[in-house]
Amino acid sequence: MRATGTTGATKRARVRVARLRSLLMGLLALTTAAAATACATGEDQPRIVVTTNILGDITREIVGDEADVTVLMKPDADPHSFGLSAVQAAGLERADLVVFNGLGLEENVLRHVDAARASGVATFEAGRAVDPLTFRVDEGGPDEEAGQPDPHFWTDPDRVRKASGLIADQVVAHVAGVDADAIRANAARYDRQLADLSTWMEKSFDRIPEDRRALVTNHHVFGYLADRFGLRVIGAVIPSGTTLASPSSSDLRTLTQAMEKAGVRTVFADSSQPKKLAEVLRAELGGQVRVVELHSESLTAKSGGAGTYLRMMRANTEAMTDGLTGG
């Protein structure tokens, strides 16, 4: 009887060992699968963090599959007012490279970029590297803004060409493990697309008669485009380079007078901003103002008509030429 009992205990022990072995094998399989998933999703890749979605799209075109590119600004957001979660802010300090617009654009994010730089992360301020323009008083900007750098350089595709080449240089210099030849090839391909865009925009704007080449917008965002393609920015509903400012009644009165003098009846309102201010201006001029929506400061979702920088600029150019020619 004792031998039988011992044999039963041995069998039970063997069953327990077999079950433990099976459990360990299962855990090993799960760990292997998790590692494979992390590899597939790029968690072990070099990491590049980009603040705005416009620069994010440009950077992804250049980087391709060589690194993981995280874009902080959501589609249809306002670059002047979007903020970061604690997780996103911490992620900046774990990046290999941070690409940001700068020149004061990302007003709620720049302190986090500064913190990342202080912790040793390589950062690249695209706006400051592309020969920035300054706000001008003759654009209707307030005196305190005159002479300050204008951050909206992306409305000039030629400056984006320069920024793209510099981003490629930064990636090669600061992001270990990328294929430099692949980065250069991507940058060269994208540069050709940007050159084609610039040529197409020039031909499109050349169709606008000289007496109709005057722009009024929600706020001052098209200084670079006007400088590149020979348009005039005569004023803005918000006479500032940021959407966080507000117009006064005297600002609106000055703008309506300028519009009356120039014969302007079209206001271009950014899609990321409410149209209320532009509608107020329409009421001031007796309902004879046409409000045309643009995607000037943010990309849309993929299905929104301006899901990439190239699509955004083409859509804006078509909307502006139609609006200014009465099409």
Side-chain angles (χ1 to χ4, degrees), residues 63-110:
V63 171
D65 297 327
E66 292 299 311
D68 179 61
V69 178
T70 298
V71 180
L72 300 177
M73 179 180 158
K74 301 297 183 184
D76 296 306
D78 182 346
H80 298 281
S81 62
F82 84 100
L84 303 186
S85 67
V87 172
Q88 289 175 316
L92 278 172
E93 298 188 24
R94 295 194 301 270
D96 296 284
L97 173 66
V98 173
V99 178
F100 68 110
N101 190 96
L103 301 179
L105 182 77
E106 309 98 321
E107 299 178 51
N108 294 325
V109 177
L110 292 176

Side-chain angles (χ1 to χ4, degrees), residues 113-298:
V113 174
D114 291 340
R117 185 188 303 112
S119 69
V121 176
T123 64
F124 175 61
E125 185 177 5
R128 198 168 296 279
V130 293
D131 187 25
L133 298 176
T134 58
F135 290 110
R136 302 194 304 268
V137 175
D138 61 0
E139 291 178 341
D143 290 343
E144 64 268 20
E145 204 166 64
Q148 295 299 309
D150 182 347
H152 307 94
F153 76 90
W154 63 85
T155 64
D156 174 2
D158 291 335
R159 279 183 167 82
V160 172
R161 291 182 67 186
K162 182 175 181 179
S164 298
L166 294 173
I167 290 171
D169 292 341
Q170 292 291 314
V171 172
V172 171
H174 297 292
V175 183
V178 300
D179 184 335
D181 290 338
I183 297 295
R184 299 294 186 198
N186 290 342
R189 171 189 52 77
Y190 194 54
D191 182 76
R192 290 191 293 271
Q193 293 178 317
L194 291 170
D196 290 342
L197 171 68
S198 183
T199 299
W200 176 83
M201 288 177 66
E202 185 167 14
K203 291 178 179 178
S204 297
F205 287 122
D206 281 347
R207 298 199 303 267
I208 303 172
E210 183 61 33
D211 62 348
R212 294 193 177 186
R213 302 174 71 84
L215 292 175
V216 175
T217 58
N218 253 32
H219 78 288
H220 289 303
V221 67
F222 286 110
Y224 289 90
L225 182 144
D227 181 76
R228 168 64 180 83
F229 297 107
L231 279 73
R232 304 184 307 278
V233 181
I234 67 168
V237 180
I238 304 174
S240 174
T242 173
T243 57
L244 303 184
S246 299
S248 66
S249 58
S250 63
D251 291 331
L252 289 174
R253 186 164 53 253
T254 298
L255 180 57
T256 55
Q257 290 171 352
M259 291 178 66
E260 291 279 12
K261 182 178 180 181
V264 173
R265 285 292 181 269
T266 302
V267 177
F268 296 98
D270 189 271
S271 63
S272 69
Q273 293 298 309
K275 296 182 183 179
K276 183 176 180 180
L277 293 174
E279 296 291 349
V280 168
L281 189 59
R282 173 186 284 172
E284 291 260 342
L285 291 174
Q288 300 177 353
V289 175
R290 179 185 180 193
V291 179
V292 177
E293 183 176 299
L294 301 178
H295 305 285
S296 57
E297 292 200 294
S298 177

Side-chain angles (χ1 to χ4, degrees), residues 1-12:
M1 295 294 294
R2 256 182 220 169
T4 301
T6 302
T7 301
T10 301
K11 289 181 178 179
R12 287 194 296 273

